[in-house]
Amino acid sequence: MVKLFVLGKCRIQTPYATILPRAGKLFPLAMYLVVERGRPVSRRRLTTLFWPDRSERAANHSLREALSRLRRKGFQLQGDDEALQVLLPRTAACIDIDQLAGMDLHDFAAREYRVLPGYEPAGAALHQDWVDDTRERLQGTVVSYLLESVKHAQMAAQWDVVCHVTEQILELDPENRAAEMALAHARKAMRGRPLPGVAHRGMAREASQDD
């Protein structure tokens, strides 16, 4: 399976290689196909996004070469060179944020949650707009996962986790009201909670007085 990493160091892992942002047009093309997995994409759309300054013939040639390279790296693309559309099946690729749903609560406290940090695409404005829209959409998905983890941490009274995750949410979305309320509640709960060992020391003192 192909996996797109958008949190932390941006990269695409295939069964046979790692594709990095410095890989020219191959990286943004691969990223586009992974994000749009499960949906047919027209070749005209791809040539317009990635080779807008070339003639139709030259752009189609560049696209065929790039798709061939992706197939050799393990992309299970459907549609031959004569097809008008390209399809990457949904089951053939995933994005790292998909795994947030099943992550352990304490693992949420030690990760990078900004989507595509530092990635600035070069090329057509149309592609740059797509990257901006995708970054915003995926960032919203990340925040939703983080808020869900906050609910589970609240139910488990893991207030340190609630504080850390809500602080991360507010770095991504400073006006997130749900995170603000959860953070305030967690801080209040922690102020009223005895520090580790305090209750035990108090019980020990009472026991010694009784003796």
Side-chain angles (χ1 to χ4, degrees):
M1 175 178 283
V2 172
K3 185 173 182 179
L4 168 63
F5 292 84
V6 298
L7 303 176
K9 184 180 178 181
C10 188
R11 64 196 186 280
I12 299 171
Q13 189 67 51
T14 80
Y16 308 115
T18 300
I19 306 174
L20 300 175
R22 63 173 179 264
K25 295 292 178 66
L26 195 66
F27 179 83
L29 173 62
M31 181 172 69
Y32 185 92
L33 292 172
V34 173
V35 172
E36 301 296 331
R37 65 198 184 283
R39 291 187 288 267
V41 182
S42 72
R43 287 176 178 268
R44 182 178 294 276
R45 167 72 172 169
L46 295 175
T47 55
T48 300
L49 279 171
F50 302 110
W51 295 277
D53 299 328
R54 298 187 183 181
S55 67
E56 181 177 354
R57 182 177 180 180
N60 282 324
H61 176 73
S62 296
L63 176 60
R64 283 195 299 271
E65 286 192 335
L67 293 177
S68 178
R69 290 178 62 191
L70 290 179
R71 286 190 176 96
R72 291 196 297 271
K73 292 180 183 297
F75 273 68
Q76 300 175 17
L77 299 172
Q78 296 181 2
D80 56 28
D81 289 345
E82 303 302 321
L84 297 178
Q85 295 179 322
V86 179
L87 172 67
L88 179 64
R90 187 161 189 83
T91 55
C94 66
I95 306 178
D96 58 349
I97 63 175
D98 298 336
Q99 297 179 341
L100 295 180
M103 206 162 69
D104 183 83
L105 284 177
H106 286 284
D107 290 339
F108 277 95
R111 290 178 65 95
E112 163 70 67
Y113 291 108
R114 290 176 300 152
V115 171
L116 300 174
Y119 177 65
E120 295 298 335
L126 184 62
H127 175 230
Q128 293 175 352
D129 290 343
W130 177 84
V131 170
D132 290 341
D133 291 343
T134 298
R135 180 183 279 122
E136 182 177 354
R137 177 164 55 86
L138 294 181
Q139 195 70 80
T141 301
V142 169
V143 168
S144 296
Y145 279 131
L146 293 178
L147 286 172
E148 191 63 28
S149 76
V150 167
K151 292 179 182 178
H152 290 297
Q154 288 174 317
M155 292 170 54
Q158 296 181 352
W159 304 118
D160 53 339
V161 175
V162 173
C163 286
H164 193 88
V165 176
T166 50
E167 287 171 352
Q168 290 181 308
I169 293 173
L170 291 170
E171 287 183 6
L172 303 171
D173 181 7
E175 297 182 0
N176 192 294
R177 183 60 178 160
E180 288 178 346
M181 293 176 64
L183 178 59
H185 180 74
R187 286 174 172 170
K188 181 178 180 180
M190 292 183 74
R191 284 196 297 271
R193 184 178 66 184
L195 294 174
V198 171
H200 297 291
R201 290 195 296 270
M203 292 174 63
R205 285 197 299 271
E206 292 177 2
S208 63
Q209 290 172 357
D210 291 340
D211 292 341

